[in-house]
Amino acid sequence: MEVVQNMKLLLVNAIDHSRNIETVFPSLGLAYLSSSLKNHFPNIQIKIIDRDIENVIKSYCPDFVGVSSVSQNFGRATEIGDLCKILKIPVFVGGVHITLLPESLPKAFDFGVYGEGEETIVDIMNYLHSGGISGSSEMEKINGLLLHTDDGIKLTEMRTPIENLDVIPFPDRNLLNIPIGQTTYMFTSRGCPYKCAFCASTRVWDNIRWFSAEYVVDEIEEVIEKHKPWAISFYDDLFIANFKRLEKIVDLICTKGLHKKVKFSFACRSNLVNERLIEVLKPLNIHMVCMGLESGCQRILTYLKGGGITVEQNQRAVNLFSKAKINIQGTFIIGSPDETEEEIIQTLNFIKRSSLTNFEVYLLTPLPGTPIWDEAKKMRLVANNMDWGKLAVENKEDKIILSQLPKKRLLELYKLFMHEKRKRKVTYIVKTGMKNPFWVFKKLKLIKNQLKLNDKIKNTFVKK
């Protein structure tokens, strides 16, 4: 393959810096693209950003711009595309949103990328470097693209997913400016064996694929060596799903003594939790296990999770982790279309009587590609050209509500959960601080630094 020389590519993660949940971690998805490109084109120049976008574009002068976006930020992504059009810079878009809703591709972008991007981005750069025109019909030969045609959006042939994930180079974290000592994250698999009704990420992949235990632990070693994080979060949809691989990962981590250098957190599912799982996990230096418990009402739990799981299983899993003195965070969803106030209170009562360390509660959000989106579309609450900011997690007042309860009452109920969350968080900080005063000092320092950073970048993203 031809060596790309003197080519500049700017990769932009379209996020909203006013929402803390979006600023916690930089984009590993773009870092994977960078490492794959550099593996094929050693001389290519790549920059990854998520702020001060207009100024960086004008100073960096990229030959091409690629934008990644989730649904709630797709309006921001489109603004970046519009800016590139004004500056006459070829621009394309990829990510979860455009993969699940390809018909929403706006004219702001020359073309879109759907599905897995590591191989597609290599083909794109090779084509563009050879003089190809961005978005032209000649790109139909490249699998995994969305192209504008006179008849609408055309999807080129779907790219076959990478079967052996170990061939993918480690993500290019050098471009992410990760502060030394900060909690960071990694992926050890792609996909999920379950399909919860509200989950968009599990719709991106047809099946679940795994990085090998050896690959995972080698990456952990690299992250520790280069970034010295306090904790590593496995951001898989379900880290523990492959039990044999899990056993091997834990064994390798302990054999290399990595559990003494960093803490770990990951997602779990209650029907997979038993004494044997606890026994395997116990040697790890676990900071937190997160479980999507969703509801304390069985009817709503079945609606959200698609069956196969019970409130009793959720309670038993919480009890098992608590008995093993492993911190547990639960996530819950309220506001299903026909959920009653009494059923929402059942969830609140479940939380109150549980031994959860912490919890998060969300209003049900209709994300493209999910059954909840299809339901919202029938209710005429969503459309392909909607205000995407209405899907944001932290947007409460202007959020799309599927619940039949009055919006004012639903938000009042939501505040009851927030009150309980604050109480539980204070209890956790006090208990942890009594055991480890240095942890409290470190936590407060991280919060202070994050607040300073948020204030600094508050108005640096692109605005209309």
Side-chain angles (χ1 to χ4, degrees):
M1 187 171 286
E2 186 176 357
V3 176
V4 175
Q5 295 181 351
N6 302 319
M7 178 181 281
K8 285 185 177 182
L9 172 64
L10 180 64
L11 297 174
V12 183
N13 186 26
I15 65 172
D16 183 350
H17 291 95
S18 68
R19 299 170 183 150
N20 291 332
I21 193 172
E22 297 186 25
T23 63
V24 176
F25 295 129
S27 174
L28 276 190
L30 296 180
Y32 275 113
L33 299 185
S34 176
S35 61
S36 292
L37 282 169
K38 289 178 178 178
N39 196 43
H40 288 82
F41 314 125
N43 297 312
I44 191 171
Q45 298 179 56
I46 302 174
K47 189 184 240 353
I48 297 176
I49 62 169
D50 60 16
R51 62 200 65 182
D52 201 19
I53 294 165
E54 183 171 356
N55 288 335
V56 173
I57 290 176
K58 289 178 178 178
S59 61
Y60 185 60
C61 299
D63 297 299
F64 307 100
V65 173
V67 183
S68 179
S69 175
V70 293
S71 293
Q72 60 265 33
N73 291 324
F74 199 66
R76 292 175 179 271
T78 303
E79 292 174 5
I80 298 168
D82 288 334
L83 173 64
C84 291
K85 287 291 187 184
I86 292 171
L87 299 175
K88 301 186 185 308
I89 300 173
V91 59
F92 57 93
V93 66
V96 174
H97 173 84
I98 205 65
T99 293
L100 295 176
L101 203 65
E103 58 267 33
S104 68
L105 179 70
K107 293 288 187 178
F109 298 103
D110 300 337
F111 61 93
V113 179
Y114 74 97
E116 202 161 47
E118 284 85 0
E119 293 180 343
T120 306
I121 193 72
V122 171
D123 288 348
I124 290 170
M125 287 299 105
N126 195 52
Y127 166 81
L128 294 175
H129 176 65
S130 64
I133 299 173
S134 181
S136 74
S137 59
E138 292 180 0
M139 297 190 78
E140 291 182 9
K141 300 174 184 177
I142 300 176
N143 293 344
L145 297 189
L146 310 171
L147 299 174
H148 294 289
T149 72
D150 293 337
D151 298 322
I153 307 300
K154 178 176 181 178
L155 280 71
T156 66
E157 186 176 339
M158 180 180 291
R159 185 171 293 272
T160 303
I162 300 170
E163 185 174 348
N164 177 16
L165 293 182
D166 284 10
V167 303
I168 301 173
F170 294 154
D172 190 1
R173 290 183 174 86
N174 294 331
L175 297 185
L176 301 181
N177 299 315
I178 301 171
I180 296 296
Q182 180 174 299
T183 299
T184 188
Y185 76 117
M186 57 186 286
F187 292 102
T188 79
S189 64
R190 293 182 178 180
C192 181
Y194 300 95
K195 294 288 184 286
C196 297
F198 55 85
C199 183
S201 66
T202 58
R203 265 76 189 183
V204 174
W205 319 112
D206 288 334
N207 52 52
I208 189 166
R209 290 164 294 149
W210 315 90
F211 291 97
S212 71
E214 291 80 5
Y215 181 104
V216 171
V217 176
D218 285 347
E219 186 176 351
I220 291 172
E221 284 189 293
E222 180 180 278
V223 170
I224 291 174
E225 180 183 349
K226 290 186 176 181
H227 306 288
K228 299 177 175 55
W230 175 75
I232 294 176
S233 177
F234 297 125
Y235 247 45
D236 307 47
D237 288 308
L238 191 55
F239 172 66
I240 68 162
N242 185 332
F243 190 75
K244 287 186 177 180
R245 189 193 71 136
L246 175 66
E247 287 182 301
K248 194 167 186 179
I249 288 173
V250 174
D251 181 60
L252 288 171
I253 286 173
C254 293
T255 298
K256 297 188 175 188
L258 303 179
H259 61 305
K260 299 177 182 178
K261 298 179 179 180
V262 69
K263 291 180 176 291
F264 298 98
S265 61
F266 49 85
C268 197
R269 186 177 161 102
S270 66
N271 62 307
L272 301 179
V273 178
N274 52 40
E275 288 81 358
R276 176 58 184 152
L277 176 70
I278 299 292
E279 182 184 349
V280 170
L281 293 174
K282 192 65 176 171
L284 287 184
N285 190 5
I286 299 176
H287 166 56
M288 189 77 72
V289 172
C290 181
M291 288 192 292
L293 304 177
E294 317 314 350
S295 181
C297 168
Q298 185 58 55
R299 187 179 76 87
I300 300 301
L301 181 62
T302 300
Y303 169 74
L304 293 172
K305 304 288 277 190
I309 200 161
T310 67
V311 173
E312 289 72 26
Q313 285 176 315
N314 284 348
Q315 186 62 67
R316 181 173 182 272
V318 172
N319 293 343
L320 283 172
F321 279 121
S322 181
K323 183 180 178 181
K325 297 182 178 179
I326 295 174
N327 292 327
I328 329 106
Q329 174 172 288
T331 58
F332 299 87
I333 296 173
I334 63 172
S336 292
D338 63 345
E339 186 176 24
T340 67
E341 183 170 329
E342 291 73 20
E343 288 172 325
I344 291 176
I345 294 299
Q346 283 184 46
T347 297
L348 181 59
N349 289 335
F350 176 93
I351 293 170
K352 286 183 174 181
R353 67 174 180 265
S354 76
S355 54
L356 288 168
T357 308
N358 194 9
F359 72 91
E360 298 287 347
V361 61
Y362 304 102
L363 300 179
L364 182 64
T365 300
L367 296 174
T370 68
I372 302 297
W373 171 268
D374 295 336
E375 198 163 344
K377 203 165 186 180
K378 290 177 184 176
M379 298 166 69
R380 298 185 178 180
L381 296 174
V382 297
N384 294 346
N385 58 350
M386 61 178 285
D387 176 1
W388 298 108
K390 291 184 177 182
L391 300 180
V393 169
E394 294 184 358
N395 180 355
K396 298 298 182 293
E397 301 303 326
D398 193 33
K399 191 177 183 69
I400 291 172
I401 300 295
L402 286 79
S403 174
Q404 294 178 8
L405 294 173
K407 185 174 183 179
K408 181 180 178 182
R409 183 54 183 157
L410 182 62
L411 293 178
E412 287 173 348
L413 292 168
Y414 176 83
K415 288 178 181 177
L416 294 178
F417 285 84
M418 291 298 97
H419 178 67
E420 177 65 24
K421 180 183 174 181
R422 285 191 292 271
K423 285 169 51 180
R424 198 162 294 240
K425 195 166 188 177
V426 169
T427 301
Y428 173 65
I429 290 174
V430 170
K431 285 184 177 180
T432 306
M434 290 176 66
K435 295 178 183 177
N436 185 3
F438 179 72
W439 177 87
V440 177
F441 170 77
K442 195 169 185 179
K443 190 75 172 175
L444 290 174
K445 188 176 180 181
L446 286 172
I447 292 173
K448 182 180 179 181
N449 290 340
Q450 186 63 51
L451 289 173
K452 284 183 178 178
L453 179 61
N454 288 348
D455 185 60
K456 183 178 179 182
I457 64 179
K458 187 175 181 181
N459 295 310
T460 57
F461 48 79
V462 175
K463 295 182 178 179
K464 283 186 179 179

